[in-house]
Amino acid sequence: MPNVTHSCTPFPGQKPGTSGLRKKTRVFMEPGYLEAFVQSIFNAIVGASGKTFVVGGDGRFFNAEAIQTILRMAAANGASRVIVGQDGLLSTPAASNLIRQRGADGGLILSASHNPGGLDADFGLKYNTANGGPAPEGLTEKLYAETQRIAEYQTLDTDDIDLAQIGVSQLNGMVVEIVDPVADYAALMRQLFDFDRIRTLISEGFTLRFDAMHAVTGPYAKAILEDELGAPEGSVINAVPSVDFGKGHPDPNPIWAKPLVDLVMSSAAPDFAAASDGDGDRNMILGRSIYVTPSDSLAVLAANAHLAPGYDNGLAGVARSMPTSTAVDRVADALSIECFETPTGWKFFGNLLDVGRITLCGEESAGTGSDHVREKDGLWAVLLWLNILAVRKTSVHEIMQDHWRTYGRNYYSRHDYEAVDSAKAAQMMAELIERLPDLPGAAAGVYVVASADQFSYHDPVDGSVSENQGIRVQFEDGSRGVVRLSGTGTDNATIRVYLERFIPKDGDLDMETQTALQGIAEAMAHITRLPEICDRQAPDVMT
Ligand code: VG1
Ligand code: CO
């Protein structure tokens, strides 16, 4: 069957420095748009010829159609094998695992993560490399260059492949292998965690609820939590992936997973509850009458990971993204292990994981993970928590109290200002950057600035430097404010302001979070001049 060459135009959609593309679904569906991006990926990796790829997505609207396009193009570009999750489904961490297990050259993952799905919502595609992680900056630069000069793409004129049928078929000489999306991932989890112990905990009456938010983790959570670990049927809710995520917003935080938070705050609360996002890489952890912030969760997991078989040798080191609270730094200090501060985005953990400098890492945006894959992993975090609870035989609430009594508490919240006029957001950042040298010593309410800078990261493994990664304001009492622009929004600019206040272990550990942070929020408003420049008085979302 002959290849078909179509011409296409370079497109402005790709942002430099990002490993994927996130756009409105209708944009992705424009003739030649997805194709131009896929061909740009193949060009950036110097051809697909002879290569093996993993392909799958979170099941959102256009997932299956996009996979058919990718399969045709991979075959036309000479790929030798493509491994696809049944029905086109693969969670992001499961895709990362498959790439590694099967020694694939890379993977194309279809998802816009926690953004809503549907014809009038969002779609995305990203490329992961052979280590299973998001493309590093060197490759994303090449990819960007390719998107700017792409002129034609290669495809085939063929019928669709049946994605529902597990097994092997051929597409113009390329092997298409449809696999169970859950099996290899579940096997990995079985190696890392003490399933017997968790099963015993559950059989003794420990109750849990997992909200898959109508997204990709449904089948994974059902298979592992219910079928294997014995949680009663119904413990996993919203478990069937749907193309529009039940018209919801599959973002596991107290805003978008509010019913779950309401449940744990009610008299019907289970002992443990959790949720994951569209593509299964994020997690939210809850206990009876308690919400665990992602930054605290990372710190607790670091302090207790040795209780799970996969980590019983201890941790090589830990890492957190810059805006993530410094709670984990205190644990690393106590364990005498290294703690790295990286820019936002999972790709920056890859090198540290690859060379064994770190074992655990995480971000304030509900991402936690380890060296088992090269993506953050929602269900993995849930299982590690369950393993810890099964060993310590105490409540989530008690684990948190105990943690704060040992290390002190980092009150933490992120305030998001969404759909801000892009020019105004840029102006606010530019003016702030100009004022940075004058900030140290300046008073903002009761807070005094100790230091202020623009974060740039020097990768200790490959020596690369990533600049302009957000603004850090350190206050004299150890509190901190961070401001940066989102790189994943699809609607104008999103400004994120991150607030952190440290209270030592003998201080007040039981304040309401927003109350504890109000002074820092005011100080940051004063310093950034966000309310005046962007004409916003309050954030749209506080997590
Ligand atoms: C957000 C989060 C960041 C995360 C990224 C991708 O980025 O803040 O921590 O790595 O989403 O997460 P930004 O640039 O919008 O702040 V996901 O679940 O899309 O893979
Ligand atoms: Co995600």
Side-chain angles (χ1 to χ4, degrees):
M1 189 187 313
N3 279 4
V4 190
T5 304
H6 290 281
S7 56
C8 60
T9 46
F11 62 100
Q14 174 70 349
K15 291 182 195 159
T18 46
S19 50
L21 180 64
R22 247 177 236 190
K23 287 282 163 197
K24 292 290 167 202
T25 311
R26 285 187 195 271
V27 174
F28 258 102
M29 292 172 72
E30 284 166 18
Y33 189 90
L34 167 69
E35 290 85 345
F37 190 62
V38 172
Q39 189 66 51
S40 298
I41 292 173
F42 290 152
N43 294 354
I45 59 172
V46 204
S49 182
K51 290 181 177 163
T52 295
F53 299 106
V54 167
V55 175
D58 61 12
R60 70 181 60 220
F61 189 89
F62 194 52
N63 187 64
E65 295 83 345
I67 288 177
Q68 299 291 350
T69 299
I70 291 169
L71 289 174
R72 287 189 190 99
M73 289 184 63
N77 279 271
S80 69
R81 179 183 288 260
V82 176
I83 302 160
V84 190
Q86 187 181 24
D87 295 324
L89 293 181
L90 279 176
S91 77
T92 290
S96 181
N97 180 48
L98 262 186
I99 294 169
R100 295 163 64 79
Q101 299 266 316
R102 301 293 302 270
D105 295 281
L108 292 95
I109 305 176
L110 301 107
S111 172
S113 191
H114 50 287
N115 293 16
L119 181 57
D120 290 307
D122 294 343
F123 194 79
L125 170 62
K126 64 176 176 173
Y127 184 73
N128 281 28
T129 49
N131 74 345
E137 284 208 329
L139 181 54
T140 60
E141 276 156 30
K142 281 192 204 132
L143 175 57
Y144 178 71
E146 290 299 336
T147 62
Q148 302 308 298
R149 68 160 168 256
I150 188 91
E152 57 180 40
Y153 65 88
Q154 304 285 321
T155 189
L156 295 174
D157 199 2
T158 57
D159 291 339
D160 284 354
I161 294 266
D162 181 3
L163 301 178
Q165 200 60 45
I166 287 182
V168 171
S169 61
Q170 296 272 336
L171 184 61
N172 216 31
M174 179 181 85
V175 177
V176 178
E177 184 182 345
I178 310 284
V179 299
D180 176 347
V182 178
D184 288 28
Y185 179 83
L188 177 65
M189 295 301 116
R190 228 172 272 133
Q191 277 171 25
L192 296 174
F193 302 116
D194 192 338
F195 273 27
D196 285 340
R197 217 151 171 169
I198 301 173
R199 209 176 284 123
T200 305
L201 177 78
I202 292 171
S203 72
E204 288 169 357
F206 177 93
T207 53
L208 67 92
R209 186 72 58 91
F210 180 91
D211 189 346
M213 302 190 86
H214 306 277
V216 77
T217 44
Y220 295 85
K222 274 246 163 217
I224 296 172
L225 299 174
E226 292 187 3
D227 300 348
E228 198 154 345
L229 295 172
E233 207 182 322
S235 299
V236 179
I237 58 171
N238 302 319
V240 180
S242 74
V243 290
D244 62 357
F245 305 125
K247 304 218 181 321
H249 197 134
D251 193 352
N253 66 35
I255 312 296
W256 300 113
K258 188 167 183 297
L260 196 66
V261 179
D262 290 345
L263 175 73
V264 301
M265 299 300 168
S266 77
S267 58
D271 293 307
F272 178 84
S276 192
D277 72 332
D279 62 330
D281 57 359
R282 296 187 178 203
N283 72 89
M284 176 173 70
I285 302 294
L286 301 158
R288 201 170 285 223
S289 75
I290 189 166
Y291 160 71
V292 182
T293 70
S295 294
D296 270 349
S297 177
L298 174 64
V300 167
L301 295 183
N304 294 279
H306 62 278
L307 301 176
Y311 307 94
D312 58 3
N313 286 329
L315 308 177
V318 291
R320 61 164 171 83
S321 69
M322 184 273 278
T324 303
S325 99
T326 54
V328 72
D329 302 40
R330 292 168 206 286
V331 175
D333 222 32
L335 295 172
S336 300
I337 55 174
E338 280 191 294
C339 178
F340 297 87
E341 181 174 48
T342 58
T344 294
W346 209 260
K347 66 180 176 219
F348 294 101
F349 296 132
N351 280 343
L352 295 167
L353 291 164
D354 283 348
V355 299
R357 292 276 289 270
I358 61 170
T359 311
L360 292 197
C361 47
E363 298 192 277
E364 52 67 40
S365 54
T368 343
S370 87
D371 56 1
H372 70 291
V373 288
R374 291 294 178 274
E375 288 279 3
K376 51 190 184 261
D377 188 344
L379 205 47
W380 167 89
V382 169
L383 291 166
L384 182 48
W385 263 97
L386 288 174
N387 197 140
I388 292 165
L389 288 163
V391 174
R392 289 188 54 176
K393 294 202 170 294
T394 179
S395 67
V396 175
H397 188 266
E398 190 45 41
I399 285 184
M400 293 317 302
Q401 292 292 328
D402 180 53
H403 190 88
W404 296 330
R405 277 188 238 117
T406 307
Y407 299 96
R409 178 168 180 186
N410 293 72
Y411 286 95
Y412 186 85
S413 179
R414 185 178 94 191
H415 290 187
D416 290 337
Y417 298 80
E418 292 175 345
V420 177
D421 179 79
S422 298
K424 286 181 179 167
Q427 181 197 342
M428 184 207 73
M429 291 298 279
E431 290 185 12
L432 178 56
I433 289 164
E434 252 176 54
R435 287 197 305 277
L436 283 179
D438 305 328
L439 286 179
V446 295
Y447 289 92
V448 180
V449 177
S451 66
D453 67 353
Q454 243 190 314
F455 181 55
S456 62
Y457 178 62
H458 298 247
D459 188 309
V461 180
D462 66 15
S464 61
V465 179
S466 306
E467 290 180 335
N468 309 331
Q469 298 294 328
I471 290 162
R472 296 187 288 198
V473 181
Q474 188 76 45
F475 296 102
E476 281 186 349
D477 74 332
S479 298
R480 213 169 65 123
V482 168
V483 55
R484 58 178 284 279
L485 299 182
S486 157
T488 60
T490 56
D491 189 9
N492 290 313
T494 296
I495 302 170
R496 305 202 196 281
V497 181
Y498 309 79
L499 309 165
E500 175 178 1
R501 178 174 169 201
F502 178 65
I503 299 286
K505 60 184 179 186
D506 49 7
D508 188 350
L509 302 175
D510 287 311
M511 285 184 269
E512 193 279 319
T513 298
Q514 298 303 332
T515 310
L517 294 170
Q518 198 180 340
I520 296 162
E522 286 164 9
M524 286 304 287
H526 179 80
I527 289 168
T528 59
R529 303 191 57 238
L530 188 156
E532 297 93 299
I533 299 173
C534 302
D535 199 19
R536 291 294 180 93
Q537 298 316 312
D540 299 288
V541 181
M542 294 191 263
T543 52

